[in-house]
Amino acid sequence: MTLSTAKNTKAPVREGGRRPLGLRADVRNLSLLGVLAVLVAVGGFTKPAEFLSSSNLQLVLTQASVIGVVTVGMTFVITSGGIDLSVGAIVALASVWATTLATQEYGFAGILFTAVVVGLSCGLVNGLLIAYGGLVPFIATLAMLASARGLALQITDGRTQIVTVDSVLDLGVPDAYILGIPPLVLVFAAVTVVGWLILNRTTFGRRTVAVGGNAEAARLAGIDVRRQRLYLYLLSGLCCGIAAFLLIILSGSGQNTNGNLYELDAIAAAIIGGTLLTGGRGTIVGSVLGVLVFTTITNIFALNNLQSDVQQIAKGAIIVAAVLVQRRTARHGEA
């Protein structure tokens, strides 16, 4: 074996993007924590009584939980070099299908089961079209976005479906909080921990990073790239189903407008958290911090009665800044 070949074989394995980054990953996460600290300071300065209240902080975490679960699934997809533009529409479809009168007759289990199955089914369709149908992820998930939104509208006929199952609604009231923590936040924490373990401590996670870094090299190494991609979109669909159930608890209803722009928020949170848009590196911790940053910004804007268009501009600026930083670090051989 030549020296150059030996060097190539000893290239660091991108396990969840953790080992190649080393200290830089910690610096990025610390930077996001710093941004969160600044936002908390701004919120506390502008609206001290409202922002720093326990009820508002619980609200921020609860709202972050729904999009956060979606972002965990999105992180896996982007790490593999893919994209999923249909997550918001899948959440909407799962939420309305799980809140029809027929479904609610089966109670808590029926609503949860339906939401998860709808999410998995949509993820399966996406995965089959992309992995075995040869469609570009952008096109396949865009088609799913349009189809799922249309089906959600058809099911509801444009009306809001009210949940009448008490066992579901009770999870959203303060009496259900555990040590002051809403159940939705606990579910989000559990999904985050499981996602981190899968990405950083399992063969599935290493294969995900390998496919995103170089799909052809992964195939030559014995990885079934098509099957791996199918599993990843199934995982994304599962996260959407769980998020839909959390949203049902939070809103007490199912609407065809649920999950609006979730795809953009999830992609943005993953990117500013350090997941490479081109694939090959992903970080669950960074994605979660990205979700908290965006949710806190939204909350501060709402408390200060600032218009949503200014909020969207601020989010857009953050996304552009994050991508520019990624390109700069890649140019210097640090990504």
Side-chain angles (χ1 to χ4, degrees):
M1 179 181 294
T2 64
L3 180 60
S4 61
T5 305
K7 288 181 178 179
N8 289 335
T9 58
K10 293 181 180 180
V13 178
R14 294 191 172 187
E15 184 181 350
R18 177 174 55 86
R19 290 174 61 183
L21 292 177
L23 183 61
R24 287 186 294 274
D26 296 329
V27 171
R28 179 181 292 107
N29 290 338
L30 288 174
S31 299
L32 287 173
L33 286 174
V35 172
L36 269 176
V38 171
L39 290 173
V40 170
V42 171
F45 177 76
T46 57
K47 293 288 183 178
E50 297 88 344
F51 181 79
L52 296 178
S53 65
S54 59
S55 59
N56 184 65
L57 295 179
Q58 289 171 341
L59 175 62
V60 170
L61 291 175
T62 301
Q63 292 176 337
S65 299
V66 180
I67 185 61
V69 171
V70 175
T71 302
V72 170
M74 182 69 79
T75 300
F76 276 88
V77 171
I78 296 178
T79 301
S80 71
I83 199 73
D84 192 346
L85 301 178
S86 64
V87 291
I90 294 175
V91 168
L93 179 59
S95 70
V96 300
W97 209 322
T99 54
T100 60
L101 293 177
T103 303
Q104 292 192 51
E105 290 180 358
Y106 293 94
F108 182 98
I111 294 176
L112 174 60
F113 177 79
T114 302
V116 171
V117 168
V118 171
L120 282 171
S121 299
C122 293
L124 176 63
V125 173
N126 279 337
L128 289 174
L129 290 176
I130 294 167
Y132 295 95
L135 290 184
V136 177
F138 181 90
I139 299 299
T141 58
L142 185 62
M144 176 58 71
L145 182 157
S147 301
R149 283 288 179 194
L151 184 55
L153 178 60
Q154 186 178 52
I155 291 175
T156 62
D157 196 23
R159 295 189 294 267
T160 299
Q161 298 178 163
I162 304 299
V163 177
T164 58
V165 180
D166 292 336
S167 57
V168 173
L169 298 175
D170 289 345
L171 292 176
V173 300
D175 290 342
Y177 292 3
I178 301 175
L179 298 177
I181 304 175
L184 277 68
V185 178
L186 296 176
V187 173
F188 175 35
V191 171
T192 298
V193 171
V194 172
W196 186 90
L197 290 173
I198 293 175
L199 186 60
N200 294 281
R201 293 290 185 267
T202 67
T203 302
F204 182 87
R206 290 190 290 272
R207 288 175 177 172
T208 299
V209 177
V211 169
N214 190 323
E216 181 60 22
R219 185 187 66 81
L220 294 175
I223 298 175
D224 191 330
V225 175
R226 293 190 299 179
R227 185 172 61 186
Q228 184 69 19
R229 285 175 173 160
L230 173 62
Y231 289 161
L232 287 167
Y233 281 96
L234 275 172
L235 178 60
S236 179
L238 173 62
C239 288
C240 290
I242 296 173
F245 183 70
L246 297 183
L247 190 57
I248 291 170
I249 296 173
L250 183 61
S251 64
S253 64
Q255 305 176 54
N256 66 284
T257 56
N258 281 343
N260 188 34
L261 296 181
Y262 272 20
E263 56 278 356
L264 299 183
D265 287 343
I267 293 171
I271 292 174
I272 71 169
T275 299
L276 280 181
L277 191 58
T278 54
R281 188 183 77 205
T283 163
I284 298 295
V285 174
S287 295
V288 170
L289 290 175
V291 169
L292 292 176
V293 167
F294 279 129
T295 306
T296 305
I297 290 175
T298 301
N299 183 259
I300 292 174
F301 273 64
L303 289 177
N304 287 276
N305 295 320
L306 296 176
Q307 296 182 354
S308 59
D309 55 349
V310 180
Q311 175 185 329
Q312 297 301 325
I313 292 173
K315 287 184 177 181
I318 293 174
I319 296 171
V320 171
V323 173
L324 289 177
V325 169
Q326 283 190 359
R327 292 185 61 183
R328 181 178 179 183
T329 54
R331 190 180 301 114
H332 287 82
E334 295 178 355

